């Protein structure tokens, strides 16, 4: 590579850093999904962090792209089939369970007396 | 009487909205709702600071409500990701990936958690 630091180079590096952060976040959540118990999770999280730290000094932009693609393929391979999702979030158990009723509806509490005005 | 009921069964009398102006504001408050805890700002600040102080790579003495994770505490970007995940677990939130990427410092985290309607 020519090593010229143009704005496009920095933009590409910033986009790669964001991809790495999002990949690390998803991989960490996946690790927690697979390893439910905290002591196992901490061990696996340390291993994951080591894997990310081993490549952190790479400067070649194309190699970084390949490493990120490889990481994302690994993440896709290891995705949990039933991840833990917070109940009120989409995909959780409480999502859309009690939606707020529309404001125009008024309930008449006259059970048994509907025929009387 | 029978004629009246027969007529009423087929007619639809419109509901009068005379009481709606009074419950305009109260409509947002539901009695016996299971979602009734909104955290106070001080509680959010305390819990976020506790989470940050318990992080092993952080010096607890330096943590104040307006530290920047990377500039003031000397953390890595991956450490920031870990802290955001710990905050998510503490407040039972689900932060979308794009939003979580932007949380870079304590005041941002506190503001996000405080403004989130489902934090508990």
């Amino acid at each position: 590579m020519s090593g010229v630091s143009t704005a496009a180079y920095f933009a590409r590096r910033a986009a790669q850093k964001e991809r790495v952060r999002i990949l690390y976040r998803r991989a960490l959540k996946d690790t927690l999904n697979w390893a439910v118990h905290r002591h196992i999770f901490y061990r696996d999280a340390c291993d994951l962090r080591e894997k990310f730290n081993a490549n952190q000094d790479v400067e070649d932009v194309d190699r970084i792209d390949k490493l990120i693609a490889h990481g994302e393929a690994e993440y896709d391979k290891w995705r949990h089939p039933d991840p833990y999702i917070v109940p009120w979030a989409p995909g959780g158990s409480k999502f859309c369970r009690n939606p707020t009723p529309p404001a125009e509806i008024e309930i008449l509490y006259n059970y048994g007396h509907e025929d009387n005005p | 009487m029978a004629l009246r009921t027969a007529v009423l069964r087929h007619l639809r009398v419109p509901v009068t909205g005379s009481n709606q102006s009074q419950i305009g504001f109260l409509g947002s408050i539901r009695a016996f709702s299971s979602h009734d805890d909104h955290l106070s700002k001080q509680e959010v600040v305390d819990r976020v600071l506790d989470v940050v102080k318990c992080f092993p790579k952080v010096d607890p003495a330096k943590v104040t409500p307006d530290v920047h994770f990377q500039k003031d505490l000397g953390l890595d970007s991956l450490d920031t990701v870990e802290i955001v995940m710990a905050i998510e677990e503490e407040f039972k939130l689900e932060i979308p990936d794009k939003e979580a990427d932007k949380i870079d410092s304590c005041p941002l985290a506190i503001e996000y958690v405080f403004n989130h309607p489902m934090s508990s």
Side-chain angles (χ1 to χ4, degrees):
Chain A
M1 294 292 108
S2 62
V4 174
S5 325
T6 58
Y9 171 77
F10 278 127
R12 203 167 156 197
R13 285 296 297 262
Q16 281 174 347
K17 284 181 192 171
E18 186 176 335
R19 276 175 80 184
V20 167
R21 284 200 292 266
I22 291 183
L23 178 65
Y24 181 62
R25 188 180 145 80
R26 290 189 182 159
L28 206 54
K29 283 194 175 166
D30 227 30
T31 325
L32 186 55
N33 282 331
W34 281 115
V36 182
H37 301 287
R38 286 321 265 216
H39 59 280
I40 308 178
F41 165 65
Y42 284 142
R43 221 181 298 155
D44 290 343
C46 281
D47 292 340
L48 180 72
R49 187 66 199 262
E50 291 305 311
K51 278 194 224 165
F52 270 78
N53 278 349
N55 295 331
Q56 71 179 353
D57 290 323
V58 176
E59 291 294 334
D60 185 17
V61 195
D62 292 327
R63 183 145 180 255
I64 297 179
D65 274 337
K66 279 191 204 133
L67 285 171
I68 296 179
H70 176 75
E72 284 173 356
E74 280 266 341
Y75 165 71
D76 273 334
K77 183 175 135 195
W78 279 103
R79 278 174 71 170
H80 197 281
D82 185 19
Y84 171 72
I85 303 178
V86 178
W88 49 263
S93 55
K94 219 164 123 180
F95 182 56
C96 287
R97 185 181 281 188
N98 285 325
T100 47
E104 297 87 34
I105 288 185
E106 181 188 319
I107 303 177
L108 287 176
Y109 295 98
N110 59 351
Y111 179 69
H113 304 286
E114 291 97 343
D115 294 335
N116 310 330
Chain B
M1 190 61 194
L3 174 65
R4 187 168 169 275
T5 49
V7 165
L8 277 180
R9 203 173 292 136
H10 292 285
L11 276 184
R12 281 286 168 261
V13 183
V15 173
T16 56
S18 59
N19 286 335
Q20 281 199 358
S21 58
Q22 297 172 359
I23 46 176
F25 169 63
L26 291 179
S28 63
I29 301 175
R30 294 178 74 191
F32 304 112
S33 161
S34 66
H35 177 64
D36 49 5
D37 53 352
H38 291 274
L39 300 173
S40 64
K41 186 86 181 233
Q42 189 53 43
E43 207 184 330
V44 170
V45 169
D46 286 338
R47 280 165 76 178
V48 167
L49 288 188
D50 278 340
V51 166
V52 178
K53 280 179 196 164
C54 289
F55 198 64
K57 297 183 192 170
V58 159
D59 180 15
K62 284 195 205 166
V63 176
T64 67
D66 50 0
V67 287
H68 193 274
F69 294 139
Q70 296 189 5
K71 293 181 203 153
D72 296 331
L73 298 175
L75 294 177
D76 203 5
S77 58
L78 296 185
D79 293 327
T80 325
V81 170
E82 288 183 13
I83 286 189
V84 168
M85 264 201 65
I87 292 179
E88 265 192 358
E89 289 187 344
E90 166 76 19
F91 290 98
K92 299 184 202 145
L93 293 181
E94 177 90 12
I95 310 182
D97 288 338
K98 294 280 175 185
E99 298 288 319
D101 209 32
K102 292 186 192 130
I103 296 183
D104 239 354
S105 58
C106 258
L108 274 179
I110 293 171
E111 192 189 313
Y112 187 86
V113 170
F114 185 63
N115 292 339
H116 198 104
M118 302 293 304
S119 51
S120 65

